[in-house]
Amino acid sequence: MDYRGKRILLYTASLAGGGAEKVFVNLAEAFGAMGLDVTLAVDRFTGDYCDQIDRTLLHLVDLHVPNTRAAVAPLRALYE
């Protein structure tokens, strides 16, 4: 299947060392390897997985917000 031109946005609060965060990184990289235009957005670019992301496969966006509630408007703006 041809995924070129298809976009996907994944969001998580941080890239701290939990299992869910690792799943988000793995999913983002796998989707990117499939040819999707992937954006991984986080409230704050902090955590154990920050240095492990292959940025050739995805776009990483630091929203610079204090919490998930504050992330809604910046997330919407990413795809307007």
Side-chain angles (χ1 to χ4, degrees), residues 27-71:
L27 280 173
E29 289 178 345
F31 289 147
M34 291 169 54
L36 285 123
D37 181 7
V38 180
T39 300
L40 176 59
V42 296
D43 289 349
R44 292 163 311 283
F45 187 61
T46 60
D48 297 338
Y49 299 119
C50 292
D51 297 330
Q52 299 178 19
I53 295 173
D54 184 349
R55 293 186 186 207
T56 64
L57 298 175
L58 58 101
H59 309 283
L60 183 63
V61 175
D62 185 346
L63 299 173
H64 300 286
V65 296
N67 54 47
T68 300
R69 180 178 219 149

